[in-house]
Amino acid sequence: MRRNLKYWGWGYEDKSLSDDETSNLLKSLTEFGISGSEKGKFPSLDNITLMKPRLKPPKSLETICTEDKYERVLHTFGQSQPDSIRTFLGDFINAPDLIAYPKNEADIINLFDWCGEVNAALIPYGAGSSVVGGVTSDVGENYNGTVTVDLSLMNKVMEVDNQSRAARIQGGARGPELEAGLKPMGFTLRHFPQSFEHSTLGGWIATRSGGHFATLYTHIDDLVENITMVTPVGKIQSLRVPGSGAGPSPDRLMLGSEGSLGIITEAWVRLQKKPTFKATAGFLFSNFLVAAKSVKAISQAGLYPANIRIVDNVELKINNASNGSSTLMIVSFENSDHPVDAWIARAEQCCLDNGGVIDVNWRNNPSANQESLVGAWREAFIRMPYNREKLTPRGIISDTFETAITWDKFETFYQNVKQITELAILQTTGNKGAVSCRFSHAYPDGPAPYFAFHANSEPNRMIEDWLAIKNAASDAIIANGGTITHHHAIGRDHSKWYRKQRPLLFEKVLNRSKEYLDPKGILNPGVIVT
Amino acid sequence: MRRNLKYWGWGYEDKSLSDDETSNLLKSLTEFGISGSEKGKFPSLDNITLMKPRLKPPKSLETICTEDKYERVLHTFGQSQPDSIRTFLGDFINAPDLIAYPKNEADIINLFDWCGEVNAALIPYGAGSSVVGGVTSDVGENYNGTVTVDLSLMNKVMEVDNQSRAARIQGGARGPELEAGLKPMGFTLRHFPQSFEHSTLGGWIATRSGGHFATLYTHIDDLVENITMVTPVGKIQSLRVPGSGAGPSPDRLMLGSEGSLGIITEAWVRLQKKPTFKATAGFLFSNFLVAAKSVKAISQAGLYPANIRIVDNVELKINNASNGSSTLMIVSFENSDHPVDAWIARAEQCCLDNGGVIDVNWRNNPSANQESLVGAWREAFIRMPYNREKLTPRGIISDTFETAITWDKFETFYQNVKQITELAILQTTGNKGAVSCRFSHAYPDGPAPYFAFHANSEPNRMIEDWLAIKNAASDAIIANGGTITHHHAIGRDHSKWYRKQRPLLFEKVLNRSKEYLDPKGILNPGVIVT
């Protein structure tokens, strides 16, 4: 039995916040002046009106296409804040006409050919967890219909190379599926984005996903040995080698292409042995900027922790992980080869030297990651994606945005972006809301700050309110020298700022690549190449 | 006073092998049946005939252009084996007509404009150490002349960011120049290719150079924060951030473009603090394949040594570093933050577990890298580039080629490539010569094997002999699944195999990028985009 996925929120229908979790979340938001009563419910399937499909698949594609209502509704949106609001408002005017489930590359080629013939837009779809409108079926007026291509049937681990610790995996494999396929051999990819359960290898590659590793192998880019991508004019398959200096890297054109140049059907990826040595420590700091200094010290020490995260007091409070004013740091090391004591001992010293106070001791403490604030925040982190379906119906905006910035600019950047976002919330909603920050990843030359915000609104003006805040925050990121995304991708929502950030001549080169690989312009219109 | 560079070999005129070093080299080669008496000398400048320059720079470019004979001779070739042979034979028919020394981006733009107008080929030139024909002025029949653009006057460290440990450096800065600029602040780039003294940051980026670090940050790619490249249609400058997931990476189009799309004028690069904690160990193994198992174990252990190199008995013998049959492993760790004992102790255990015997002990041994075989090979390594000018006049071919391959294919790959190269030497020269191998870099999923070969020939058939061997070796690399280059680049010499390796549709995309960025096709014709 297939578990049904929610079209109104995160994950499976049978999984959401408990009543207790919901009331705790709402209670902590009230401390920031954010509250709202339920203004309605997400519409039931019966109450959603869809246009009649404008497309009819040819005989050859009939068996892999469906116009089932639930399928069309499920595939209309991803997991962005506006996606959630529009779902709540029943705005399914742009629902895809058909959903296709290809079983192999031949099916994908047939879909490309047919969509080209009938001028249908084609949206590649992994598991639908884009938070930036990457799979939202808004393709403009230039198409006779939209086909969303769900890769979930191309989800196998095809081959494992024990010697090189690598595997060939199909693009449609979700996190749990590929990990299950690797587990019998003692291997793991250990790429655990927050979306892990509901995102795919192909989606990670297409969006340059950021995973579990907070340093070193941060992006999926670093875990990819080669990529196979099917485009409307043929297949690109790069050579599988551990490293190469032969011209510009073909993989790097596909990484970040977000479905605009082709569909990633498989890739060889680098694996790890399941880690057997692990150590986690937690530290408290008087504030976020002080904690950041420890992150800088550790990132520049050549220690490469698997996790090095700081979480500010606002995020801790909203997630009921603390009532204090401290910033939490979680640092952890892991390895399948040797104990990591020397590593974490040095990282600990960096924290103590920079004003940190131990929250959780790592010494002889295998359950450190479940204790105190470290454990409380970890629990909350796993549940966070489920929050929004409880907040949207109450008119509470809850969104995140993330970036990266060099250390020299960081403090000013952080203060400006936070302040401008708070001001935008205040001007838009009359309340400064809650703006929190953590680091998702850290490099020797700078951190990847990850902001979250919550704000009061009303369902009927939430889209505009959200857009006003999003615009202000994104403008602030670009104006202060950051990237519009470190790992959430561009999608439709970040297009405007991506165009500001991207060198103009590179845009021209990408446009020409698109013209060549997708001559009829059917692939994910409005994303990356516009 | 500017020290003159040799046009007939490596480095400055005042620096070459001593008579003792030369006779030792020749003596060890005789043990492989390779010997030859001097058949002549490299031609003196007076004995070289150049065509009259076909180009005359416009007034505005006069002060930065020269048609000086020495300059034209010096810039005709790089440092490949055929470059050396053709220099010996006095084959300067394709000498560039003019050498330009731009002082800034405006000069480069003027050069692009003028070369476009008069249909002159333009060869970007860092410090001329390409071993693959990347700066060799063979541009075919389609041009009215050739201008080699030497970037050596754009060689400054412009800005250092202490916080982020990064610096903005001009593309023409040679290794020693940029290190000298960083040293006062206690920083170092630590990118030390064998060509370090005679190669530039811009050249490293253009060719995806491989440096000092044998694991982790192997290629210059990993040390680059952003790149500025001037093209004939304008400038590309990527955003300087520590990491980004905003669409396909613009930097990765420029990395590996080898002067075919533009000239890299500056880049922000990631620095290290000068390492204060260092440890080196040496181990001996019964043979190369056994040693390789230790490299695999260490690379997969998450230890990230700065150096992990194995050198086979043939290479040791040729370089007078050993008379035995053992393979040497050198492993070293370095850090500016903490002692590396725990790291190297674990690496040592991996070697002992896999049959290694200690050659040099790391414990309490700060001069370990100068002792025994480790020290002997290190000395030889630094001197190797000077060998060829002594061998070419004796009709002895000496060349290297390098690649990368996953561990699953490595043993067969190694045996096939070595055997096929030996066979090609035998068939070409009547003697199987000497084919040696070391690892230059190592990844969790495979090593970067670096081969060297020496063979008997005669000056007047050396080019053909070399080509026959090079063809066989390169065919073997591609047939057995390797990349045609891990870090030497493509240049003119590897074009044929690069085209086999590169996905066809990616080639088409690159061609279109070139058409856009270099519409008159003047930039480094015959390299990368052909």
Side-chain angles (χ1 to χ4, degrees):
Chain A
M1 268 288 286
R2 181 171 158 170
R3 287 162 80 191
N4 261 356
L5 289 157
K6 290 172 203 161
Y7 58 80
W8 62 88
W10 191 261
Y12 295 109
E13 285 184 357
D14 56 17
K15 214 171 151 185
S16 61
L17 295 195
S18 68
D19 290 349
D20 270 6
E21 284 176 318
T22 307
S23 76
N24 283 341
L25 171 65
L26 294 172
K27 202 174 135 213
S28 53
L29 286 173
T30 58
E31 292 180 37
F32 296 91
I34 300 160
S35 60
S37 57
E38 205 167 328
K39 306 299 191 311
K41 298 204 175 294
F42 283 99
S44 68
L45 205 55
D46 287 346
N47 287 331
I48 293 172
T49 308
L50 297 185
M51 300 219 301
K52 204 170 156 313
R54 294 162 295 176
L55 301 168
K56 204 182 138 47
K59 266 259 163 322
S60 61
L61 290 170
E62 260 176 11
T63 57
I64 64 160
C65 289
T66 176
E67 51 176 67
D68 174 80
K69 187 176 183 182
Y70 163 75
E71 290 286 341
R72 290 176 67 199
V73 166
L74 179 68
H75 288 84
T76 301
F77 294 113
Q79 297 287 342
S80 73
Q81 174 66 86
D83 286 345
S84 169
I85 303 168
R86 291 169 67 188
T87 301
F88 184 78
L89 298 173
D91 172 14
F92 285 82
I93 183 87
N94 293 325
D97 299 274
L98 292 173
I99 314 305
Y101 284 92
K103 293 192 177 68
N104 48 50
E105 289 180 356
D107 286 346
I108 294 173
I109 293 165
N110 288 340
L111 283 165
F112 285 160
D113 290 347
W114 174 59
C115 287
E117 275 164 32
V118 301
N119 188 36
L122 188 157
I123 300 181
Y125 183 104
S129 63
S130 169
V131 293
V132 294
V135 296
T136 303
S137 61
D138 293 346
V139 298
E141 312 270 291
N142 301 327
Y143 299 89
N144 297 327
T146 302
V147 180
T148 292
V149 177
D150 185 315
L151 277 300
S152 59
L153 300 183
M154 295 176 68
N155 62 347
K156 308 288 179 303
V157 174
M158 305 294 281
E159 207 175 332
V160 174
D161 169 0
N162 273 289
Q163 289 295 307
S164 317
R165 299 192 176 174
R168 182 161 66 88
I169 302 175
Q170 289 187 304
R174 294 173 195 226
E177 289 169 340
L178 70 84
E179 287 293 340
L182 299 172
K183 199 177 176 187
M185 280 75 79
F187 287 122
T188 165
L189 179 60
R190 288 191 86 61
H191 186 75
F192 301 137
Q194 202 173 18
S195 65
F196 175 72
E197 207 181 342
H198 301 291
S199 53
T200 63
L201 177 62
W204 299 340
I205 293 173
T207 60
R208 302 181 67 189
S209 156
H212 165 75
F213 294 107
T215 68
L216 217 53
Y217 302 124
T218 53
H219 285 102
I220 192 74
D221 310 27
D222 304 317
L223 303 177
V224 165
E225 271 187 345
N226 89 335
I227 300 173
T228 301
M229 184 167 87
V230 178
T231 80
V233 295
K235 190 151 110 172
I236 304 182
Q237 182 165 58
S238 58
L239 184 67
R240 182 197 163 211
V241 281
S244 181
S249 162
D251 290 339
R252 300 287 178 161
L253 177 69
M254 300 184 265
L255 281 154
S257 58
E258 298 192 24
S260 69
L261 303 178
I263 288 181
I264 291 155
T265 54
E266 61 177 49
W268 275 95
V269 290
R270 302 188 170 103
L271 309 176
Q272 321 273 320
K273 276 274 172 201
K274 192 176 175 312
T276 42
F277 301 96
K278 293 187 186 188
T280 293
F283 301 91
L284 294 176
F285 292 86
S286 57
N287 70 55
F288 197 70
L289 294 180
V290 173
K293 287 192 203 303
S294 286
V295 174
K296 177 162 165 286
I298 295 171
S299 332
Q300 294 184 341
L303 291 165
Y304 313 120
N307 195 353
I308 178 171
R309 206 162 249 167
I310 56 175
V311 185
D312 75 4
N313 60 321
V314 178
E315 179 163 339
L316 292 174
K317 212 177 275 184
I318 289 175
N319 292 290
N320 291 288
S322 157
N323 289 314
S325 62
S326 296
T327 287
L328 171 70
M329 175 190 284
I330 303 162
V331 55
S332 66
F333 289 84
E334 58 183 39
N335 200 285
S336 63
D337 179 76
H338 51 264
V340 292
D341 294 25
W343 283 248
I344 197 165
R346 176 60 198 148
E348 178 183 61
Q349 196 56 52
C350 292
C351 289
L352 300 178
D353 289 349
N354 284 282
V357 172
I358 293 174
D359 174 53
V360 175
N361 199 327
W362 60 270
R363 287 182 171 80
N364 305 312
N365 190 358
S367 61
N369 65 346
Q370 291 153 45
E371 289 179 8
S372 191
L373 292 198
V374 171
W377 183 81
R378 182 170 170 270
E379 263 313 298
F381 178 74
I382 295 166
R383 304 294 284 166
M384 275 173 213
Y386 295 97
N387 291 358
R388 190 179 275 143
E389 65 185 88
K390 302 297 181 188
L391 300 177
T392 298
R394 289 176 167 83
I396 299 173
I397 296 171
S398 87
D399 202 8
T400 63
F401 57 91
E402 41 80 61
T403 179
I405 189 79
T406 46
W407 288 116
D408 60 323
K409 303 196 191 89
F410 163 66
E411 292 201 2
T412 310
F413 177 90
Y414 165 75
Q415 278 156 339
N416 286 351
V417 170
K418 188 171 154 78
Q419 208 172 351
I420 288 166
T421 307
E422 284 170 347
L423 188 67
I425 295 175
L426 180 64
Q427 288 174 341
T428 309
T429 70
N431 178 320
K432 83 170 187 164
V435 179
S436 62
C437 190
R438 65 174 185 255
F439 286 173
S440 64
H441 302 81
Y443 302 90
D445 49 340
Y450 188 108
F451 293 88
F453 63 91
H454 290 81
N456 274 324
S457 186
E458 293 290 336
N460 62 357
R461 59 175 174 84
M462 265 178 99
I463 289 268
E464 297 91 275
D465 285 358
W466 172 81
L467 199 59
I469 302 163
K470 177 76 178 171
N471 272 328
S474 302
D475 285 350
I477 283 178
I478 296 295
N480 285 278
T483 172
I484 192 60
T485 178
H486 172 268
H487 61 269
H488 277 174
I490 301 298
R492 288 167 179 82
D493 297 355
H494 285 154
S495 234
K496 180 175 149 191
W497 297 278
Y498 175 51
R499 282 202 294 271
K500 290 184 187 174
Q501 166 175 344
R502 177 172 60 182
L504 181 65
L505 289 184
F506 186 68
E507 176 175 327
K508 302 281 188 186
V509 163
L510 272 188
N511 287 349
R512 292 177 70 91
S513 306
K514 166 90 170 180
E515 281 162 26
Y516 184 77
L517 297 174
D518 177 22
K520 296 188 171 167
I522 55 170
L523 279 171
N524 218 5
V527 173
I528 297 292
V529 190
T530 49
Chain B
M1 267 287 288
R2 180 171 157 170
R3 288 162 80 192
N4 261 354
L5 290 158
K6 291 172 203 162
Y7 58 81
W8 62 87
W10 191 260
Y12 296 109
E13 286 183 357
D14 56 18
K15 213 170 153 186
S16 61
L17 294 195
S18 69
D19 290 347
D20 270 4
E21 284 175 318
T22 307
S23 77
N24 285 340
L25 172 65
L26 294 172
K27 201 174 136 215
S28 53
L29 286 172
T30 59
E31 292 180 38
F32 297 91
I34 301 160
S35 60
S37 57
E38 205 167 329
K39 306 298 191 311
K41 297 202 175 297
F42 283 98
S44 69
L45 206 53
D46 287 345
N47 287 331
I48 293 171
T49 308
L50 296 185
M51 299 219 302
K52 201 171 158 314
R54 295 163 294 175
L55 301 168
K56 203 181 140 46
K59 266 261 165 319
S60 61
L61 290 170
E62 260 176 11
T63 57
I64 65 161
C65 290
T66 176
E67 52 177 65
D68 174 78
K69 188 175 183 183
Y70 164 76
E71 291 285 341
R72 291 177 66 199
V73 166
L74 179 67
H75 288 84
T76 301
F77 295 113
Q79 297 288 341
S80 74
Q81 174 66 86
D83 286 345
S84 169
I85 303 167
R86 290 169 68 187
T87 301
F88 184 78
L89 299 173
D91 173 14
F92 285 82
I93 182 86
N94 293 325
D97 298 275
L98 292 172
I99 314 304
Y101 285 91
K103 293 191 177 68
N104 48 49
E105 290 180 356
D107 285 346
I108 294 172
I109 293 165
N110 287 340
L111 283 164
F112 285 161
D113 289 348
W114 175 60
C115 287
E117 276 164 31
V118 300
N119 188 35
L122 187 156
I123 300 181
Y125 184 103
S129 62
S130 170
V131 293
V132 293
V135 296
T136 304
S137 61
D138 293 347
V139 299
E141 312 269 290
N142 300 328
Y143 298 89
N144 297 327
T146 302
V147 180
T148 292
V149 177
D150 185 315
L151 277 299
S152 59
L153 299 183
M154 295 176 69
N155 61 347
K156 308 287 180 303
V157 174
M158 306 295 280
E159 206 175 333
V160 174
D161 169 0
N162 273 289
Q163 289 296 306
S164 317
R165 299 193 176 173
R168 181 161 66 88
I169 302 176
Q170 288 187 304
R174 293 173 195 227
E177 289 170 339
L178 70 85
E179 287 293 341
L182 299 173
K183 199 177 176 186
M185 279 76 79
F187 287 121
T188 166
L189 180 59
R190 287 190 87 60
H191 186 75
F192 300 138
Q194 201 173 20
S195 65
F196 174 73
E197 207 180 342
H198 300 291
S199 53
T200 62
L201 176 61
W204 298 340
I205 293 172
T207 61
R208 301 181 67 189
S209 157
H212 166 75
F213 294 106
T215 68
L216 217 52
Y217 303 123
T218 54
H219 285 101
I220 193 74
D221 310 26
D222 303 316
L223 303 177
V224 164
E225 270 186 346
N226 89 335
I227 300 173
T228 302
M229 183 167 89
V230 178
T231 80
V233 295
K235 191 152 109 172
I236 304 183
Q237 182 166 58
S238 58
L239 183 68
R240 182 197 163 210
V241 281
S244 181
S249 162
D251 290 340
R252 302 286 178 161
L253 177 70
M254 300 185 265
L255 281 156
S257 57
E258 298 193 23
S260 70
L261 303 178
I263 289 181
I264 291 155
T265 54
E266 61 177 47
W268 275 95
V269 290
R270 302 188 171 103
L271 309 176
Q272 320 272 322
K273 275 275 172 200
K274 192 177 176 311
T276 42
F277 301 96
K278 293 187 187 188
T280 293
F283 301 91
L284 295 175
F285 293 87
S286 57
N287 71 54
F288 197 70
L289 294 180
V290 172
K293 287 192 203 303
S294 286
V295 174
K296 178 164 164 285
I298 295 170
S299 331
Q300 295 184 341
L303 291 164
Y304 312 120
N307 196 352
I308 178 171
R309 207 161 248 167
I310 57 174
V311 185
D312 75 5
N313 60 321
V314 178
E315 178 162 340
L316 291 173
K317 211 177 275 183
I318 289 175
N319 293 291
N320 291 288
S322 157
N323 288 313
S325 62
S326 295
T327 287
L328 171 69
M329 175 190 284
I330 304 162
V331 56
S332 66
F333 290 83
E334 57 182 41
N335 201 284
S336 63
D337 178 75
H338 51 264
V340 292
D341 294 26
W343 284 248
I344 197 164
R346 175 63 198 145
E348 178 182 62
Q349 198 54 54
C350 291
C351 289
L352 300 178
D353 289 349
N354 284 282
V357 172
I358 292 174
D359 174 52
V360 175
N361 199 328
W362 61 270
R363 287 182 170 78
N364 305 313
N365 190 357
S367 61
N369 65 346
Q370 292 154 43
E371 289 179 9
S372 191
L373 293 198
V374 172
W377 183 81
R378 183 171 170 270
E379 262 315 295
F381 177 74
I382 295 166
R383 305 294 284 165
M384 275 174 215
Y386 295 97
N387 292 358
R388 189 180 275 143
E389 65 186 87
K390 302 296 182 187
L391 300 177
T392 297
R394 289 174 166 83
I396 298 173
I397 295 171
S398 87
D399 202 8
T400 63
F401 57 92
E402 41 81 60
T403 179
I405 189 79
T406 46
W407 289 116
D408 60 322
K409 303 196 190 90
F410 163 65
E411 292 201 3
T412 310
F413 177 92
Y414 165 75
Q415 279 157 338
N416 286 351
V417 171
K418 187 171 156 77
Q419 207 171 355
I420 287 166
T421 308
E422 284 170 347
L423 189 66
I425 295 174
L426 180 64
Q427 288 173 340
T428 309
T429 69
N431 179 320
K432 82 168 189 167
V435 179
S436 62
C437 191
R438 64 172 185 258
F439 286 172
S440 64
H441 302 81
Y443 302 90
D445 49 340
Y450 188 108
F451 293 88
F453 64 91
H454 289 81
N456 275 324
S457 185
E458 293 290 336
N460 62 357
R461 58 175 174 86
M462 265 179 99
I463 289 268
E464 296 91 278
D465 286 358
W466 171 80
L467 199 58
I469 302 162
K470 177 76 179 172
N471 273 328
S474 302
D475 285 349
I477 282 177
I478 296 295
N480 286 277
T483 171
I484 192 60
T485 179
H486 172 267
H487 62 269
H488 277 175
I490 301 299
R492 286 166 181 83
D493 297 355
H494 285 155
S495 235
K496 180 175 148 190
W497 298 278
Y498 174 50
R499 282 203 293 272
K500 290 183 188 175
Q501 167 176 341
R502 176 173 59 182
L504 182 65
L505 289 184
F506 186 68
E507 177 176 327
K508 301 281 188 187
V509 163
L510 272 188
N511 288 349
R512 292 176 69 90
S513 307
K514 167 90 169 179
E515 282 162 25
Y516 184 78
L517 297 174
D518 177 22
K520 295 189 170 165
I522 56 171
L523 279 171
N524 218 5
V527 173
I528 296 293
V529 190
T530 49

